[in-house]
PDB file of all heavy atoms in Angstrom:
ATOM      1  N   MET A   1       0.820  -1.252   0.010  1.00 66.00           N
ATOM      2  CA  MET A   1      -0.006   0.019   0.019  1.00 66.00           C
ATOM      3  C   MET A   1       0.856   1.260   0.094  1.00 66.00           C
ATOM      4  O   MET A   1       0.577   2.137  -0.826  1.00 66.00           O
ATOM      5  CB  MET A   1      -0.923  -0.020   1.201  1.00 66.00           C
ATOM      6  CG  MET A   1      -1.949   1.142   1.102  1.00 66.00           C
ATOM      7  SD  MET A   1      -3.148   0.952  -0.305  1.00 66.00           S
ATOM      8  CE  MET A   1      -4.055  -0.584   0.226  1.00 66.00           C
ATOM      9  N   PRO A   2       1.826   1.462   0.864  1.00 68.00           N
ATOM     10  CA  PRO A   2       2.716   2.640   0.882  1.00 68.00           C
ATOM     11  C   PRO A   2       3.330   2.885  -0.431  1.00 68.00           C
ATOM     12  O   PRO A   2       3.468   3.991  -0.953  1.00 68.00           O
ATOM     13  CB  PRO A   2       3.642   2.435   2.058  1.00 68.00           C
ATOM     14  CG  PRO A   2       2.994   1.443   2.876  1.00 68.00           C
ATOM     15  CD  PRO A   2       2.255   0.580   1.977  1.00 68.00           C
ATOM     16  N   LEU A   3       3.871   1.842  -1.073  1.00 68.00           N
ATOM     17  CA  LEU A   3       4.543   1.975  -2.269  1.00 68.00           C
ATOM     18  C   LEU A   3       3.578   2.309  -3.487  1.00 68.00           C
ATOM     19  O   LEU A   3       3.899   3.123  -4.399  1.00 68.00           O
ATOM     20  CB  LEU A   3       5.313   0.638  -2.633  1.00 68.00           C
ATOM     21  CG  LEU A   3       6.443   0.282  -1.732  1.00 68.00           C
ATOM     22  CD1 LEU A   3       7.124  -1.006  -2.167  1.00 68.00           C
ATOM     23  CD2 LEU A   3       7.427   1.445  -1.594  1.00 68.00           C
ATOM     24  N   LEU A   4       2.423   1.717  -3.380  1.00 66.00           N
ATOM     25  CA  LEU A   4       1.348   1.957  -4.422  1.00 66.00           C
ATOM     26  C   LEU A   4       0.935   3.470  -4.337  1.00 66.00           C
ATOM     27  O   LEU A   4       0.605   4.107  -5.289  1.00 66.00           O
ATOM     28  CB  LEU A   4       0.199   1.106  -4.279  1.00 66.00           C
ATOM     29  CG  LEU A   4       0.439  -0.401  -4.634  1.00 66.00           C
ATOM     30  CD1 LEU A   4      -0.679  -1.271  -4.357  1.00 66.00           C
ATOM     31  CD2 LEU A   4       0.862  -0.513  -6.151  1.00 66.00           C
ATOM     32  N   SER A   5       0.852   4.032  -3.057  1.00 67.00           N
ATOM     33  CA  SER A   5       0.585   5.476  -2.970  1.00 67.00           C
ATOM     34  C   SER A   5       1.567   6.242  -3.507  1.00 67.00           C
ATOM     35  O   SER A   5       1.312   7.297  -4.262  1.00 67.00           O
ATOM     36  CB  SER A   5       0.483   5.699  -1.435  1.00 67.00           C
ATOM     37  OG  SER A   5      -0.577   5.036  -0.803  1.00 67.00           O
ATOM     38  N   SER A   6       2.815   5.958  -3.429  1.00 70.00           N
ATOM     39  CA  SER A   6       4.003   6.544  -4.165  1.00 70.00           C
ATOM     40  C   SER A   6       3.872   6.506  -5.553  1.00 70.00           C
ATOM     41  O   SER A   6       4.092   7.446  -6.310  1.00 70.00           O
ATOM     42  CB  SER A   6       5.286   6.021  -3.610  1.00 70.00           C
ATOM     43  OG  SER A   6       6.399   6.528  -4.379  1.00 70.00           O
ATOM     44  N   LEU A   7       3.458   5.349  -6.066  1.00 68.00           N
ATOM     45  CA  LEU A   7       3.210   5.166  -7.510  1.00 68.00           C
ATOM     46  C   LEU A   7       2.186   6.078  -8.015  1.00 68.00           C
ATOM     47  O   LEU A   7       2.365   6.791  -9.087  1.00 68.00           O
ATOM     48  CB  LEU A   7       2.793   3.771  -7.750  1.00 68.00           C
ATOM     49  CG  LEU A   7       2.394   3.338  -9.201  1.00 68.00           C
ATOM     50  CD1 LEU A   7       3.539   3.625 -10.161  1.00 68.00           C
ATOM     51  CD2 LEU A   7       1.878   1.920  -9.281  1.00 68.00           C
ATOM     52  N   GLN A   8       1.083   6.159  -7.360  1.00 71.00           N
ATOM     53  CA  GLN A   8       0.080   7.015  -7.790  1.00 71.00           C
ATOM     54  C   GLN A   8       0.452   8.601  -7.695  1.00 71.00           C
ATOM     55  O   GLN A   8       0.103   9.344  -8.740  1.00 71.00           O
ATOM     56  CB  GLN A   8      -1.184   6.909  -6.844  1.00 71.00           C
ATOM     57  CG  GLN A   8      -1.869   5.571  -6.905  1.00 71.00           C
ATOM     58  CD  GLN A   8      -2.929   5.216  -5.879  1.00 71.00           C
ATOM     59  OE1 GLN A   8      -3.067   6.036  -4.970  1.00 71.00           O
ATOM     60  NE2 GLN A   8      -3.546   4.141  -5.920  1.00 71.00           N
ATOM     61  N   ALA A   9       1.204   9.046  -6.785  1.00 66.00           N
ATOM     62  CA  ALA A   9       1.697  10.340  -6.541  1.00 66.00           C
ATOM     63  C   ALA A   9       2.610  10.656  -7.823  1.00 66.00           C
ATOM     64  O   ALA A   9       2.604  11.746  -8.454  1.00 66.00           O
ATOM     65  CB  ALA A   9       2.423  10.483  -5.268  1.00 66.00           C
ATOM     66  N   ARG A  10       3.534   9.673  -8.133  1.00 75.00           N
ATOM     67  CA  ARG A  10       4.403   9.866  -9.205  1.00 75.00           C
ATOM     68  C   ARG A  10       3.756  10.036 -10.514  1.00 75.00           C
ATOM     69  O   ARG A  10       4.081  10.809 -11.461  1.00 75.00           O
ATOM     70  CB  ARG A  10       5.503   8.700  -9.322  1.00 75.00           C
ATOM     71  CG  ARG A  10       6.616   8.780  -8.234  1.00 75.00           C
ATOM     72  CD  ARG A  10       7.508   7.493  -8.329  1.00 75.00           C
ATOM     73  NE  ARG A  10       8.449   7.475  -7.342  1.00 75.00           N
ATOM     74  CZ  ARG A  10       9.680   7.967  -7.467  1.00 75.00           C
ATOM     75  NH1 ARG A  10      10.051   8.534  -8.563  1.00 75.00           N
ATOM     76  NH2 ARG A  10      10.557   7.872  -6.469  1.00 75.00           N
ATOM     77  N   ALA A  11       2.794   9.145 -10.654  1.00 70.00           N
ATOM     78  CA  ALA A  11       1.996   9.144 -12.006  1.00 70.00           C
ATOM     79  C   ALA A  11       1.257  10.524 -12.154  1.00 70.00           C
ATOM     80  O   ALA A  11       1.159  11.018 -13.263  1.00 70.00           O
ATOM     81  CB  ALA A  11       1.020   8.013 -11.997  1.00 70.00           C
ATOM     82  N   ALA A  12       0.748  11.076 -11.029  1.00 69.00           N
ATOM     83  CA  ALA A  12       0.069  12.266 -11.154  1.00 69.00           C
ATOM     84  C   ALA A  12       0.949  13.457 -11.330  1.00 69.00           C
ATOM     85  O   ALA A  12       0.589  14.484 -12.089  1.00 69.00           O
ATOM     86  CB  ALA A  12      -0.772  12.521  -9.844  1.00 69.00           C
ATOM     87  N   SER A  13       2.142  13.418 -10.785  1.00 69.00           N
ATOM     88  CA  SER A  13       3.166  14.520 -10.815  1.00 69.00           C
ATOM     89  C   SER A  13       3.981  14.505 -12.229  1.00 69.00           C
ATOM     90  O   SER A  13       4.510  15.532 -12.565  1.00 69.00           O
ATOM     91  CB  SER A  13       3.989  14.521  -9.766  1.00 69.00           C
ATOM     92  OG  SER A  13       4.822  13.407  -9.713  1.00 69.00           O
ATOM     93  N   ASP A  14       4.075  13.338 -12.769  1.00 74.00           N
ATOM     94  CA  ASP A  14       4.810  13.103 -13.929  1.00 74.00           C
ATOM     95  C   ASP A  14       4.113  12.339 -14.944  1.00 74.00           C
ATOM     96  O   ASP A  14       4.567  11.218 -15.232  1.00 74.00           O
ATOM     97  CB  ASP A  14       6.170  12.535 -13.575  1.00 74.00           C
ATOM     98  CG  ASP A  14       7.277  12.604 -14.640  1.00 74.00           C
ATOM     99  OD1 ASP A  14       6.999  13.200 -15.693  1.00 74.00           O
ATOM    100  OD2 ASP A  14       8.302  11.955 -14.514  1.00 74.00           O
ATOM    101  N   PRO A  15       3.004  12.850 -15.533  1.00 71.00           N
ATOM    102  CA  PRO A  15       2.248  11.994 -16.489  1.00 71.00           C
ATOM    103  C   PRO A  15       2.936  11.610 -17.765  1.00 71.00           C
ATOM    104  O   PRO A  15       2.469  10.694 -18.434  1.00 71.00           O
ATOM    105  CB  PRO A  15       0.968  12.831 -16.654  1.00 71.00           C
ATOM    106  CG  PRO A  15       1.466  14.331 -16.584  1.00 71.00           C
ATOM    107  CD  PRO A  15       2.490  14.161 -15.366  1.00 71.00           C
ATOM    108  N   ASP A  16       4.009  12.491 -18.139  1.00 85.00           N
ATOM    109  CA  ASP A  16       4.763  12.134 -19.300  1.00 85.00           C
ATOM    110  C   ASP A  16       6.071  11.533 -19.108  1.00 85.00           C
ATOM    111  O   ASP A  16       7.064  11.869 -19.818  1.00 85.00           O
ATOM    112  CB  ASP A  16       4.757  13.420 -20.198  1.00 85.00           C
ATOM    113  CG  ASP A  16       3.498  13.907 -20.538  1.00 85.00           C
ATOM    114  OD1 ASP A  16       2.649  13.154 -21.047  1.00 85.00           O
ATOM    115  OD2 ASP A  16       3.253  15.141 -20.388  1.00 85.00           O
ATOM    116  N   ALA A  17       6.194  10.658 -18.049  1.00 91.00           N
ATOM    117  CA  ALA A  17       7.448  10.114 -17.611  1.00 91.00           C
ATOM    118  C   ALA A  17       8.096   9.422 -18.830  1.00 91.00           C
ATOM    119  O   ALA A  17       7.417   8.735 -19.669  1.00 91.00           O
ATOM    120  CB  ALA A  17       7.238   9.229 -16.483  1.00 91.00           C
ATOM    121  N   PRO A  18       9.466   9.530 -18.916  1.00 97.00           N
ATOM    122  CA  PRO A  18      10.146   8.735 -19.917  1.00 97.00           C
ATOM    123  C   PRO A  18      10.302   7.283 -19.560  1.00 97.00           C
ATOM    124  O   PRO A  18       9.789   6.816 -18.506  1.00 97.00           O
ATOM    125  CB  PRO A  18      11.535   9.444 -19.846  1.00 97.00           C
ATOM    126  CG  PRO A  18      11.722   9.787 -18.446  1.00 97.00           C
ATOM    127  CD  PRO A  18      10.344  10.282 -17.967  1.00 97.00           C
ATOM    128  N   VAL A  19      10.745   6.429 -20.497  1.00 98.00           N
ATOM    129  CA  VAL A  19      10.936   5.048 -20.180  1.00 98.00           C
ATOM    130  C   VAL A  19      12.050   4.933 -19.068  1.00 98.00           C
ATOM    131  O   VAL A  19      13.195   5.450 -19.286  1.00 98.00           O
ATOM    132  CB  VAL A  19      11.472   4.256 -21.446  1.00 98.00           C
ATOM    133  CG1 VAL A  19      11.795   2.718 -21.128  1.00 98.00           C
ATOM    134  CG2 VAL A  19      10.398   4.346 -22.513  1.00 98.00           C
ATOM    135  N   ARG A  20      11.731   4.308 -18.024  1.00 98.00           N
ATOM    136  CA  ARG A  20      12.646   4.038 -16.893  1.00 98.00           C
ATOM    137  C   ARG A  20      12.689   2.604 -16.638  1.00 98.00           C
ATOM    138  O   ARG A  20      11.759   1.946 -15.999  1.00 98.00           O
ATOM    139  CB  ARG A  20      12.204   4.801 -15.571  1.00 98.00           C
ATOM    140  CG  ARG A  20      12.353   6.387 -15.787  1.00 98.00           C
ATOM    141  CD  ARG A  20      11.814   6.995 -14.616  1.00 98.00           C
ATOM    142  NE  ARG A  20      12.054   8.484 -14.684  1.00 98.00           N
ATOM    143  CZ  ARG A  20      11.092   9.408 -14.416  1.00 98.00           C
ATOM    144  NH1 ARG A  20       9.897   9.045 -13.970  1.00 98.00           N
ATOM    145  NH2 ARG A  20      11.434  10.684 -14.629  1.00 98.00           N
ATOM    146  N   ILE A  21      13.807   1.893 -17.084  1.00 98.00           N
ATOM    147  CA  ILE A  21      13.977   0.459 -17.048  1.00 98.00           C
ATOM    148  C   ILE A  21      14.734   0.080 -15.724  1.00 98.00           C
ATOM    149  O   ILE A  21      15.737   0.744 -15.359  1.00 98.00           O
ATOM    150  CB  ILE A  21      14.765  -0.044 -18.268  1.00 98.00           C
ATOM    151  CG1 ILE A  21      13.962   0.169 -19.566  1.00 98.00           C
ATOM    152  CG2 ILE A  21      15.187  -1.490 -18.057  1.00 98.00           C
ATOM    153  CD1 ILE A  21      14.734  -0.004 -20.776  1.00 98.00           C
ATOM    154  N   GLY A  22      14.194  -0.954 -15.026  1.00 98.00           N
ATOM    155  CA  GLY A  22      14.920  -1.530 -13.910  1.00 98.00           C
ATOM    156  C   GLY A  22      15.348  -3.011 -14.299  1.00 98.00           C
ATOM    157  O   GLY A  22      14.397  -3.746 -14.879  1.00 98.00           O
ATOM    158  N   TYR A  23      16.499  -3.378 -14.079  1.00 97.00           N
ATOM    159  CA  TYR A  23      16.980  -4.745 -14.565  1.00 97.00           C
ATOM    160  C   TYR A  23      18.045  -5.273 -13.622  1.00 97.00           C
ATOM    161  O   TYR A  23      18.617  -4.583 -12.796  1.00 97.00           O
ATOM    162  CB  TYR A  23      17.541  -4.672 -15.862  1.00 97.00           C
ATOM    163  CG  TYR A  23      18.908  -4.049 -15.987  1.00 97.00           C
ATOM    164  CD1 TYR A  23      19.989  -4.776 -16.260  1.00 97.00           C
ATOM    165  CD2 TYR A  23      19.043  -2.559 -16.006  1.00 97.00           C
ATOM    166  CE1 TYR A  23      21.238  -4.250 -16.318  1.00 97.00           C
ATOM    167  CE2 TYR A  23      20.376  -1.991 -16.097  1.00 97.00           C
ATOM    168  CZ  TYR A  23      21.517  -2.841 -16.241  1.00 97.00           C
ATOM    169  OH  TYR A  23      22.761  -2.280 -16.352  1.00 97.00           O
ATOM    170  N   LEU A  24      18.134  -6.625 -13.685  1.00 94.00           N
ATOM    171  CA  LEU A  24      19.185  -7.398 -13.058  1.00 94.00           C
ATOM    172  C   LEU A  24      20.292  -7.647 -14.143  1.00 94.00           C
ATOM    173  O   LEU A  24      19.902  -7.766 -15.323  1.00 94.00           O
ATOM    174  CB  LEU A  24      18.710  -8.697 -12.537  1.00 94.00           C
ATOM    175  CG  LEU A  24      17.815  -8.554 -11.228  1.00 94.00           C
ATOM    176  CD1 LEU A  24      17.565 -10.110 -10.641  1.00 94.00           C
ATOM    177  CD2 LEU A  24      18.345  -7.737 -10.159  1.00 94.00           C
ATOM    178  N   PRO A  25      21.582  -7.989 -13.655  1.00 93.00           N
ATOM    179  CA  PRO A  25      22.640  -8.089 -14.770  1.00 93.00           C
ATOM    180  C   PRO A  25      22.594  -9.642 -15.173  1.00 93.00           C
ATOM    181  O   PRO A  25      23.529 -10.404 -14.987  1.00 93.00           O
ATOM    182  CB  PRO A  25      23.841  -7.860 -13.902  1.00 93.00           C
ATOM    183  CG  PRO A  25      23.501  -8.255 -12.506  1.00 93.00           C
ATOM    184  CD  PRO A  25      22.071  -7.834 -12.333  1.00 93.00           C
ATOM    185  N   ILE A  26      21.472  -9.997 -15.859  1.00 94.00           N
ATOM    186  CA  ILE A  26      21.295 -11.361 -16.415  1.00 94.00           C
ATOM    187  C   ILE A  26      20.944 -11.180 -17.835  1.00 94.00           C
ATOM    188  O   ILE A  26      20.407 -10.150 -18.278  1.00 94.00           O
ATOM    189  CB  ILE A  26      20.256 -12.216 -15.626  1.00 94.00           C
ATOM    190  CG1 ILE A  26      18.982 -11.417 -15.399  1.00 94.00           C
ATOM    191  CG2 ILE A  26      20.900 -12.582 -14.193  1.00 94.00           C
ATOM    192  CD1 ILE A  26      17.947 -12.234 -14.553  1.00 94.00           C
ATOM    193  N   THR A  27      21.055 -12.199 -18.666  1.00 96.00           N
ATOM    194  CA  THR A  27      20.803 -12.165 -20.064  1.00 96.00           C
ATOM    195  C   THR A  27      19.268 -11.891 -20.341  1.00 96.00           C
ATOM    196  O   THR A  27      18.795 -11.579 -21.365  1.00 96.00           O
ATOM    197  CB  THR A  27      21.282 -13.388 -20.873  1.00 96.00           C
ATOM    198  OG1 THR A  27      20.854 -14.567 -20.226  1.00 96.00           O
ATOM    199  CG2 THR A  27      22.772 -13.374 -20.896  1.00 96.00           C
ATOM    200  N   ASP A  28      18.529 -12.194 -19.243  1.00 95.00           N
ATOM    201  CA  ASP A  28      17.051 -12.023 -19.365  1.00 95.00           C
ATOM    202  C   ASP A  28      16.758 -10.587 -19.828  1.00 95.00           C
ATOM    203  O   ASP A  28      15.647 -10.329 -20.346  1.00 95.00           O
ATOM    204  CB  ASP A  28      16.281 -12.310 -18.124  1.00 95.00           C
ATOM    205  CG  ASP A  28      16.471 -13.767 -17.615  1.00 95.00           C
ATOM    206  OD1 ASP A  28      17.470 -14.443 -18.001  1.00 95.00           O
ATOM    207  OD2 ASP A  28      15.567 -14.210 -16.797  1.00 95.00           O
ATOM    208  N   ALA A  29      17.555  -9.673 -19.421  1.00 97.00           N
ATOM    209  CA  ALA A  29      17.283  -8.255 -19.690  1.00 97.00           C
ATOM    210  C   ALA A  29      17.690  -7.808 -21.032  1.00 97.00           C
ATOM    211  O   ALA A  29      17.595  -6.662 -21.428  1.00 97.00           O
ATOM    212  CB  ALA A  29      18.065  -7.397 -18.555  1.00 97.00           C
ATOM    213  N   THR A  30      18.242  -8.753 -21.843  1.00 98.00           N
ATOM    214  CA  THR A  30      18.794  -8.281 -23.121  1.00 98.00           C
ATOM    215  C   THR A  30      17.945  -7.393 -23.902  1.00 98.00           C
ATOM    216  O   THR A  30      18.483  -6.370 -24.499  1.00 98.00           O
ATOM    217  CB  THR A  30      19.232  -9.669 -23.888  1.00 98.00           C
ATOM    218  OG1 THR A  30      20.152 -10.377 -23.167  1.00 98.00           O
ATOM    219  CG2 THR A  30      19.651  -9.311 -25.276  1.00 98.00           C
ATOM    220  N   PRO A  31      16.726  -7.765 -24.270  1.00 98.00           N
ATOM    221  CA  PRO A  31      15.893  -6.847 -25.190  1.00 98.00           C
ATOM    222  C   PRO A  31      15.819  -5.392 -24.666  1.00 98.00           C
ATOM    223  O   PRO A  31      15.848  -4.471 -25.392  1.00 98.00           O
ATOM    224  CB  PRO A  31      14.590  -7.555 -25.329  1.00 98.00           C
ATOM    225  CG  PRO A  31      14.870  -9.063 -24.955  1.00 98.00           C
ATOM    226  CD  PRO A  31      15.945  -9.027 -23.967  1.00 98.00           C
ATOM    227  N   LEU A  32      15.608  -5.238 -23.259  1.00 98.00           N
ATOM    228  CA  LEU A  32      15.515  -3.951 -22.788  1.00 98.00           C
ATOM    229  C   LEU A  32      16.740  -3.119 -22.958  1.00 98.00           C
ATOM    230  O   LEU A  32      16.734  -1.991 -23.272  1.00 98.00           O
ATOM    231  CB  LEU A  32      15.073  -4.086 -21.238  1.00 98.00           C
ATOM    232  CG  LEU A  32      13.899  -4.813 -20.923  1.00 98.00           C
ATOM    233  CD1 LEU A  32      13.587  -4.725 -19.437  1.00 98.00           C
ATOM    234  CD2 LEU A  32      12.544  -4.398 -21.729  1.00 98.00           C
ATOM    235  N   LEU A  33      17.874  -3.795 -22.714  1.00 98.00           N
ATOM    236  CA  LEU A  33      19.102  -3.110 -22.764  1.00 98.00           C
ATOM    237  C   LEU A  33      19.470  -2.872 -24.258  1.00 98.00           C
ATOM    238  O   LEU A  33      20.042  -1.814 -24.582  1.00 98.00           O
ATOM    239  CB  LEU A  33      20.252  -3.938 -22.145  1.00 98.00           C
ATOM    240  CG  LEU A  33      19.955  -4.207 -20.576  1.00 98.00           C
ATOM    241  CD1 LEU A  33      21.087  -5.044 -19.946  1.00 98.00           C
ATOM    242  CD2 LEU A  33      19.745  -2.863 -19.792  1.00 98.00           C
ATOM    243  N   VAL A  34      19.245  -3.864 -25.102  1.00 98.00           N
ATOM    244  CA  VAL A  34      19.517  -3.552 -26.582  1.00 98.00           C
ATOM    245  C   VAL A  34      18.642  -2.424 -27.085  1.00 98.00           C
ATOM    246  O   VAL A  34      19.145  -1.563 -27.854  1.00 98.00           O
ATOM    247  CB  VAL A  34      19.262  -4.919 -27.321  1.00 98.00           C
ATOM    248  CG1 VAL A  34      19.193  -4.580 -28.931  1.00 98.00           C
ATOM    249  CG2 VAL A  34      20.330  -5.837 -27.123  1.00 98.00           C
ATOM    250  N   ALA A  35      17.355  -2.351 -26.643  1.00 98.00           N
ATOM    251  CA  ALA A  35      16.442  -1.333 -27.162  1.00 98.00           C
ATOM    252  C   ALA A  35      17.134   0.098 -26.612  1.00 98.00           C
ATOM    253  O   ALA A  35      17.062   0.988 -27.369  1.00 98.00           O
ATOM    254  CB  ALA A  35      15.177  -1.448 -26.579  1.00 98.00           C
ATOM    255  N   HIS A  36      17.648   0.190 -25.470  1.00 98.00           N
ATOM    256  CA  HIS A  36      18.230   1.404 -24.977  1.00 98.00           C
ATOM    257  C   HIS A  36      19.487   1.697 -25.708  1.00 98.00           C
ATOM    258  O   HIS A  36      19.736   2.877 -26.215  1.00 98.00           O
ATOM    259  CB  HIS A  36      18.532   1.346 -23.336  1.00 98.00           C
ATOM    260  CG  HIS A  36      19.278   2.483 -22.964  1.00 98.00           C
ATOM    261  ND1 HIS A  36      20.570   2.469 -22.686  1.00 98.00           N
ATOM    262  CD2 HIS A  36      18.851   3.798 -22.597  1.00 98.00           C
ATOM    263  CE1 HIS A  36      21.031   3.615 -22.312  1.00 98.00           C
ATOM    264  NE2 HIS A  36      19.932   4.444 -22.097  1.00 98.00           N
ATOM    265  N   ASN A  37      20.369   0.707 -25.772  1.00 98.00           N
ATOM    266  CA  ASN A  37      21.675   0.935 -26.449  1.00 98.00           C
ATOM    267  C   ASN A  37      21.572   1.323 -27.948  1.00 98.00           C
ATOM    268  O   ASN A  37      22.330   2.281 -28.426  1.00 98.00           O
ATOM    269  CB  ASN A  37      22.553  -0.355 -26.339  1.00 98.00           C
ATOM    270  CG  ASN A  37      23.893  -0.139 -26.965  1.00 98.00           C
ATOM    271  OD1 ASN A  37      24.883   0.333 -26.299  1.00 98.00           O
ATOM    272  ND2 ASN A  37      24.098  -0.485 -28.220  1.00 98.00           N
ATOM    273  N   ASN A  38      20.578   0.775 -28.576  1.00 98.00           N
ATOM    274  CA  ASN A  38      20.460   0.928 -30.042  1.00 98.00           C
ATOM    275  C   ASN A  38      19.461   2.169 -30.335  1.00 98.00           C
ATOM    276  O   ASN A  38      19.261   2.466 -31.491  1.00 98.00           O
ATOM    277  CB  ASN A  38      19.945  -0.271 -30.768  1.00 98.00           C
ATOM    278  CG  ASN A  38      20.953  -1.360 -30.735  1.00 98.00           C
ATOM    279  OD1 ASN A  38      22.023  -1.307 -30.138  1.00 98.00           O
ATOM    280  ND2 ASN A  38      20.553  -2.496 -31.374  1.00 98.00           N
ATOM    281  N   GLY A  39      19.001   2.851 -29.399  1.00 98.00           N
ATOM    282  CA  GLY A  39      18.263   4.022 -29.573  1.00 98.00           C
ATOM    283  C   GLY A  39      16.960   3.713 -30.068  1.00 98.00           C
ATOM    284  O   GLY A  39      16.266   4.539 -30.790  1.00 98.00           O
ATOM    285  N   LEU A  40      16.345   2.555 -29.777  1.00 98.00           N
ATOM    286  CA  LEU A  40      15.110   2.087 -30.410  1.00 98.00           C
ATOM    287  C   LEU A  40      13.871   2.804 -29.791  1.00 98.00           C
ATOM    288  O   LEU A  40      12.829   2.992 -30.414  1.00 98.00           O
ATOM    289  CB  LEU A  40      14.913   0.658 -30.339  1.00 98.00           C
ATOM    290  CG  LEU A  40      16.004  -0.209 -31.012  1.00 98.00           C
ATOM    291  CD1 LEU A  40      15.740  -1.665 -30.883  1.00 98.00           C
ATOM    292  CD2 LEU A  40      15.935   0.062 -32.431  1.00 98.00           C
ATOM    293  N   PHE A  41      14.063   3.251 -28.551  1.00 98.00           N
ATOM    294  CA  PHE A  41      12.865   4.079 -27.863  1.00 98.00           C
ATOM    295  C   PHE A  41      12.882   5.401 -28.577  1.00 98.00           C
ATOM    296  O   PHE A  41      11.700   5.915 -28.974  1.00 98.00           O
ATOM    297  CB  PHE A  41      13.220   4.196 -26.408  1.00 98.00           C
ATOM    298  CG  PHE A  41      13.043   2.928 -25.593  1.00 98.00           C
ATOM    299  CD1 PHE A  41      14.259   2.413 -25.062  1.00 98.00           C
ATOM    300  CD2 PHE A  41      11.903   2.133 -25.547  1.00 98.00           C
ATOM    301  CE1 PHE A  41      14.145   1.135 -24.256  1.00 98.00           C
ATOM    302  CE2 PHE A  41      11.836   0.945 -24.848  1.00 98.00           C
ATOM    303  CZ  PHE A  41      12.929   0.487 -24.244  1.00 98.00           C
TER     304      PHE A  41
END
C-alpha cells in the first residue's frame, strides 16, 4: 500500500514520464538493454 501510494503520486506529478527500465545483470534483460543501447525508444 505505501509503495502504491507513491506510484500514484508519481503518476500524477509526472504523467509524461520517460521510459525508466529496472533490470538485473542477467541475459533475461537483453531486449530492454539492446533497445536502450540501439536508440530504439
Side-chain angles (χ1 to χ4, degrees):
M1 190 64 68
L3 296 179
L4 291 174
S5 296
S6 173
L7 172 63
Q8 293 168 357
R10 285 176 181 269
S13 65
D14 193 8
D16 299 315
V19 176
R20 293 179 175 134
I21 293 168
Y23 75 100
L24 292 186
I26 53 181
T27 51
D28 297 27
T30 296
L32 305 183
L33 302 178
V34 166
H36 174 262
N37 183 85
N38 291 5
L40 297 179
F41 295 114

